[in-house]
Amino acid sequence: MNSHPTALVIGAGIGGIAAAARLARSGYQVTVVEKNATPGGRCNQFTRDGHRFDIGPTLFLMPEVFAETFAALGTRMQDQLDLRRIDPTYAVRFDDGAEISLTSDMHAMQEQLEQIEPGSFGGLMRYLAEGHLHYHLSLERFVGRNFYSYLDYFQLKNLPLLFKLKALAKHYDNVGQYFRDPRLKAAFTFQNMYLGLSPYDAPATFSLLQYAEMAGGVWFPMGGLYRVIERLAAIAEKQGVRFVYNAPVQQIEIEGQRATGVILRDGSRLSADVVIANADLPYVYRELLPDRAEAERLENLKYTCSAIMFFWGVDRVYPQINTHNVFLSGDYRASFDRIFQDHTLPDAPSFYVHAPTRVDPAAAPSGQDTLFVLVPVGHLDDNSPQDWEALRARARSAVLQRLAQAGAADLEKHIKFEVSYTPRDWLTHYNLAKGSAFGLSHNFMQVGYLRPQNRHRRYRNLYFVGGSTHPGTGLPMVLISARLTTERILKEIGAPQVVPNLNLVTQGTS
């Protein structure tokens, strides 16, 4: 190996940027090629008429994962991001008019829960204790490490963890051990939608999500979630990473058992010692590689749901809408069945509304509002094509009706402009297979070593990072994916001997 091995990253999502920066810090010459004009992938942002919108994630969870990434790059998270804790985290509103403010203030939680179901606060304490166990065991034993073989994954010492983590139980069934009231069951399982999952299918392991929120907190970076992308991209550039935008990849070039580089859509070629694909993994196999059999296998796996999104610039403020708001439908089970079995919009959809100006006034002009609405919906279904314009119109009507009931009766008249996304847009803009906004699902057969691996089995210098490889979807998981993939590259390919960037080291310890 020469003193400066080269790496080529396909896609400037958060995982691609983090992997590129880590490799550059280890001495690689790294180039990132991105099909769009800006970095971020689905974690992107746009502004219009003074209104700022994060396109994808709006929740900053598991700050310790972000802190580890920044530390690995020679700086400190607190020097890069101005984080504000959001508490209460959500206003959860039910269709019968009841409401719960989820908060880390346990006295406030006790008062609210006991009014709905006497004795349920004790259930919450036991549920959070279980979430604490699941959170730390998962990160230490499964999520935060690479698995190199079936025996590595299914070794005897790991088998008891299947029961400790309740990996074979369903989340909604499990939560019934702690709450009887269906509203409380819904309030402590809807977070599965962060991963594009139904709580009726998700493993009970995901009680860790509620623990992560209430113990670690829900945070907001001033400037929006896109500020994370901006800071990581800037750090990567300082490490020497070269970004090439508006450069869609046509094909990964293969010679024998190795990937040698890529051919861009304009016909130009880029070569590298190592290739890392941060594009959606099913798309990579289907469109960029000659592996038809593997592409078909991935096509038949389970996928997460998609989302219809509305971005509204509003000419007045609606104080009834908090920073994070969840509106749950009355028939909770039927809602998820319509999304995950019928691949459509529920008859009475649940949805999420984000109002960033409650914490960051710069997200909208003074006296106005920026509203982000996410309505979970089924992914694209080629066997039963959906009428997305009709579904988008029905979702919009349902959202406006529920918001009117919450006190925003004249909202529609005050919408200055609207931008909307359907699953077709997730497919077109970000190459997300089936328009699935969260990638591959996380059932028992699609996690750990059973999830698509972060290195190609045949082309042994072709690696993957992102939500559809190990460990899974969501910003923290993708940052862990970048760490694991980089560790594997350095273990299997090797790292040159380099002198650390002393300026960055000094900055990170000052």
Side-chain angles (χ1 to χ4, degrees):
M1 174 175 288
N2 62 47
S3 60
H4 294 287
T6 56
L8 183 62
V9 180
I10 304 170
I14 190 170
I17 298 169
R22 285 175 179 268
L23 284 175
R25 188 163 173 79
S26 295
Y28 278 72
Q29 293 180 344
V30 186
T31 299
V32 179
V33 290
E34 165 58 44
K35 74 182 286 283
N36 293 313
T38 58
R42 74 195 87 171
C43 183
N44 220 299
Q45 189 177 88
F46 73 92
T47 58
R48 180 170 170 182
D49 297 342
H51 296 266
R52 188 192 70 224
F53 299 90
D54 282 320
I55 293 176
T58 59
L59 298 168
F60 188 101
L61 301 171
M62 301 172 65
E64 69 275 16
V65 174
F66 292 84
E68 187 281 330
T69 297
F70 283 109
L73 300 178
T75 185
R76 301 188 304 172
M77 179 175 70
Q78 57 266 42
D79 293 333
Q80 302 293 331
L81 302 174
D82 180 6
L83 294 176
R84 308 294 173 89
R85 186 164 184 169
I86 308 301
D87 198 355
T89 54
Y90 308 93
V92 181
R93 306 166 194 252
F94 305 98
D95 70 335
D96 63 358
E99 179 178 334
I100 296 176
S101 290
L102 296 185
T103 172
S104 59
D105 181 340
M106 291 296 104
H107 292 294
M109 286 301 301
Q110 181 175 18
E111 182 177 346
Q112 294 180 87
L113 296 187
E114 294 296 326
Q115 289 179 358
I116 294 176
E117 179 189 321
S120 59
F121 182 70
L124 175 64
M125 293 295 97
R126 296 192 304 275
Y127 187 58
L128 291 178
E130 176 186 279
H132 173 270
L133 175 68
H134 290 176
Y135 183 87
H136 291 284
L137 273 180
S138 295
L139 284 177
E140 293 166 10
R141 303 291 292 276
F142 287 105
V143 170
R145 56 160 298 188
N146 281 306
F147 293 98
Y148 297 96
S149 68
Y150 279 107
L151 292 178
D152 194 18
Y153 186 58
F154 287 110
Q155 56 185 295
L156 286 177
K157 69 178 183 179
N158 283 342
L159 294 182
L161 295 179
L162 295 179
F163 301 98
K164 288 185 179 180
L165 294 172
K166 298 188 176 180
L168 302 178
K170 302 303 183 187
H171 195 179
Y172 192 83
D173 293 339
N174 181 65
V175 82
Q177 298 182 34
Y178 305 102
F179 309 105
R180 296 187 307 275
D181 192 288
R183 292 169 295 181
L184 296 186
K185 292 180 181 180
F188 292 104
T189 57
F190 77 82
Q191 294 88 347
N192 284 222
M193 294 301 294
Y194 298 165
L195 306 177
L197 301 176
S198 164
Y200 296 94
D201 295 326
T205 310
F206 288 122
S207 61
L208 62 85
L209 291 170
Q210 293 73 40
Y211 169 79
E213 287 182 349
M214 301 189 86
V218 174
W219 300 79
F220 183 90
M222 298 298 283
L225 264 288
Y226 194 66
R227 188 56 54 87
V228 179
I229 299 296
E230 292 175 330
R231 300 311 306 144
L232 287 176
I235 292 168
E237 288 180 332
K238 287 182 179 179
Q239 300 281 6
V241 176
R242 182 170 73 99
F243 288 87
V244 182
Y245 297 107
N246 298 307
V249 173
Q250 183 73 32
Q251 176 185 333
I252 297 174
E253 288 200 288
I254 301 296
E255 288 185 10
Q257 303 298 308
R258 293 180 57 81
T260 59
V262 301
I263 302 175
L264 300 182
R265 198 165 293 170
D266 65 7
S268 59
R269 281 178 161 83
L270 297 172
S271 62
D273 298 311
V274 178
V275 177
I276 304 101
N278 180 221
D280 190 39
L281 188 141
Y283 170 83
V284 173
Y285 275 95
R286 187 181 71 249
E287 300 294 339
L288 305 184
L289 288 170
D291 299 344
R292 304 314 309 164
E294 183 64 13
E296 291 177 5
R297 186 187 75 83
L298 293 174
E299 178 75 15
N300 292 323
L301 295 181
K302 293 192 69 172
Y303 284 73
T304 55
C305 69
S306 190
I308 294 174
M309 311 277 285
F310 299 100
F311 305 95
W312 289 332
V314 182
D315 66 11
R316 56 156 292 190
V317 175
Y318 287 89
Q320 307 92 332
I321 301 174
N322 296 343
T323 307
H324 300 296
N325 309 263
V326 175
F327 293 79
L328 297 175
S329 67
D331 197 335
Y332 195 58
R333 177 62 186 258
S335 177
F336 284 105
D337 287 346
R338 292 290 278 165
I339 294 170
F340 290 94
Q341 295 180 16
D342 302 333
H343 299 152
T344 190
L345 179 72
D347 299 331
S350 300
F351 60 93
Y352 161 78
V353 180
H354 174 47
T357 59
R358 302 303 175 272
V359 61
D360 187 356
S366 179
Q368 301 188 29
D369 241 347
T370 291
L371 298 180
F372 163 114
V373 180
L374 184 153
V375 186
V377 68
H379 60 61
L380 297 170
D381 186 346
D382 292 338
N383 295 321
S384 182
Q386 304 100 319
D387 182 347
W388 290 111
E389 286 308 308
L391 293 176
R392 187 196 71 82
R394 187 158 67 81
R396 186 179 192 274
S397 177
V399 169
L400 289 170
Q401 183 177 352
R402 283 290 298 272
L403 290 176
Q405 294 169 0
D410 62 347
L411 172 59
E412 187 170 20
K413 295 190 300 185
H414 291 277
I415 296 175
K416 297 168 19 182
F417 64 85
E418 173 180 288
V419 175
S420 64
Y421 276 38
T422 71
R424 290 184 303 197
D425 297 300
W426 297 116
L427 173 64
T428 302
H429 295 325
Y430 305 112
N431 292 331
L432 297 177
K434 300 179 186 289
S436 172
F438 308 90
L440 291 175
S441 189
H442 297 77
N443 61 0
F444 178 75
M445 297 302 295
Q446 292 180 196
V447 295
Y449 186 77
L450 303 178
R451 196 169 184 80
Q453 292 294 290
N454 55 13
R455 194 201 66 194
H456 197 282
R457 291 180 180 177
R458 188 182 318 139
Y459 315 129
R460 304 180 75 83
N461 67 328
L462 174 58
Y463 294 83
F464 305 101
V465 62
S468 287
T469 187
H470 176 65
T473 194
L475 292 184
M477 294 300 101
V478 174
L479 287 176
I480 293 174
S481 169
R483 174 176 65 80
L484 295 178
T485 298
T486 304
E487 287 176 357
R488 188 165 187 173
I489 291 171
L490 298 178
K491 175 182 178 180
E492 296 176 345
I493 305 296
Q497 297 297 316
V498 296
V499 177
N501 186 327
L502 297 179
N503 289 332
L504 278 176
V505 172
T506 301
Q507 177 188 357
T509 58
S510 59

